[in-house]
Amino acid sequence: MSETLVTGASGTLGGALLPRLVDAGVVVRAASRSPPDGDAEAGAQTRTEETEGRVEWVEMDLVDGTGIESAVADVDTVVHAASAPTGDTEAVDVRGTERLLDAAASAGVEHVVYVSIVGIDEIQYSYYQHKLTAERAVESSDVPATIVRATQFHSFVDEILATVSRLPVWPLPTRFRVQPVDHREVADALVEYATGEPRGRVPPVGGPEVRSLGELATAYREARGLRRPIVRLPIPGSTASAFREGRATCPDRAVGMTTWEEWLAAEYGGDSEPTAAPPSGAPS
Ligand SMILES: NC(=O)c1ccc[n+]([C@@H]2O[C@H](COP(=O)([O-])OP(=O)(O)OC[C@H]3O[C@@H](n4cnc5c(N)ncnc54)[C@H](OP(=O)(O)O)[C@@H]3O)[C@@H](O)[C@H]2O)c1
């Protein structure tokens, strides 16, 4: 029976991938630097409950190389979802990916599915540049691959707004245009690819709507019953203007169905309605 390794299995996307792959009949090996056990912290435990006993966890560190060879041994497919957006992205996303690919090639892995981000070739941001270098390593590897780009996850936008919401006013680049998607819908698409033949670069997976960050923040504030003012933070430079121009979006690939308001309602309760245009007086 074929076996699939999921890197980044303890992360947001990885946590959604595991039960979906298992339900698709795949034997799953899940990799993390700290595999959950009886002493795992509560969050990790909750994320892994759904697949308890149905997934083999292994310890693997892409930076120091711990466990990579044994993680890829005897697997046919690797879904590579490990990443370190706020850490040493070059060490994890570039050199770690290269290490993983070398080990996968030596072990005779037949398919690597790489998870990437929409717009990384048009936005000059160091994390994105490292993801682009990783994509190129995947493409030039001997292991046949599928590269799937996705837009920002709803949960990621939620994390940013949760951080900002602690401040007395919310300074935000309200004109950034994003197309957030439910990460579970990205996981659904990835399962399709992971259980099929390698396909090279495939069309990206985007959320249902392109929205301004101002609109998203306004809906978030309503869903959480907060009142603090949202203030437009002007950010100079080419990275910010690329986000304002919508370079991180793929409107012709609006694959995800769950809108931001629907996601907020499920997360925070209530029946938040879409706010396609910010109410008068709200920032844009
Ligand atoms: N978040 C988004 O909005 C978004 C949008 C589009 C695409 N993506 C892409 O989707 C993928 C998954 O994103 P995510 O948001 O689910 O990530 P995440 O929640 O931040 O999880 C990252 C994962 O990477 C693992 N990791 C970090 N450093 C590692 C290392 N040195 N060795 C091995 N594993 C390591 C972590 O596992 P441990 O800490 O347990 O080791 C964790 O499971 C990434 O490739 C990301 O670029 C994300």
Side-chain angles (χ1 to χ4, degrees), residues 146-251:
T146 302
I147 298 175
V148 189
R149 290 183 177 181
T151 54
Q152 280 70 39
F153 302 160
H154 288 320
S155 54
F156 172 67
V157 177
D158 177 69
E159 263 173 49
I160 291 172
L161 295 176
T163 304
V164 170
S165 72
R166 296 187 198 112
L167 303 171
V169 294
W170 300 2
L172 286 167
T174 50
R175 292 181 182 164
F176 277 21
R177 299 193 69 71
V178 287
Q179 189 181 347
V181 65
D182 189 324
H183 66 277
R184 292 163 292 202
E185 294 173 329
V186 177
D188 289 336
L190 287 169
V191 170
E192 291 279 327
Y193 290 121
T195 52
E197 296 298 313
R199 293 182 47 186
R201 279 184 187 275
V202 295
V205 179
E209 303 171 317
V210 176
R211 307 285 296 274
S212 74
L213 191 55
E215 291 167 7
L216 300 180
T218 302
Y220 173 88
R221 190 174 57 177
E222 276 171 29
R224 292 201 50 201
L226 304 172
R227 293 179 174 276
R228 294 191 174 162
I230 299 166
V231 179
R232 185 165 78 84
L233 177 69
I235 304 183
S238 60
T239 302
S241 65
F243 275 104
R244 282 192 295 272
E245 287 159 13
R247 304 288 171 148
T249 68
C250 54

Side-chain angles (χ1 to χ4, degrees), residues 8 10-13 32-33 61-62 81-83 116 127 131 151 153:
S10 59
T12 305
L13 183 63
S32 161
R33 284 169 298 176
D61 188 331
L62 289 168
S83 183
S116 193
Y127 174 50
K131 292 286 293 183
T151 54
F153 302 160

Side-chain angles (χ1 to χ4, degrees), residues 119-140:
I120 55 172
D121 37 4
E122 297 189 66
I123 302 174
Q124 299 294 308
Y125 168 46
S126 66
Y127 174 50
Y128 284 10
Q129 287 169 343
H130 292 145
K131 292 286 293 183
L132 191 59
T133 307
E135 275 190 0
R136 289 179 180 143
V138 170
E139 276 182 314
S140 57

Side-chain angles (χ1 to χ4, degrees), residues 70-146:
S70 47
V72 296
D74 305 318
V75 303
D76 306 288
T77 303
V78 175
V79 182
H80 182 26
S83 183
T86 55
D88 186 343
T89 62
E90 188 166 21
V92 177
D93 292 87
V94 179
R95 292 194 296 275
T97 297
E98 289 165 353
R99 240 175 238 125
L100 179 71
L101 290 167
D102 287 347
S106 306
V109 170
E110 290 166 11
H111 187 189
V112 168
V113 179
Y114 183 60
V115 192
S116 193
I117 306 174
V118 170
I120 55 172
D121 37 4
E122 297 189 66
I123 302 174
Q124 299 294 308
Y125 168 46
S126 66
Y127 174 50
Y128 284 10
Q129 287 169 343
H130 292 145
K131 292 286 293 183
L132 191 59
T133 307
E135 275 190 0
R136 289 179 180 143
V138 170
E139 276 182 314
S140 57
S141 154
D142 289 337
V143 185
T146 302

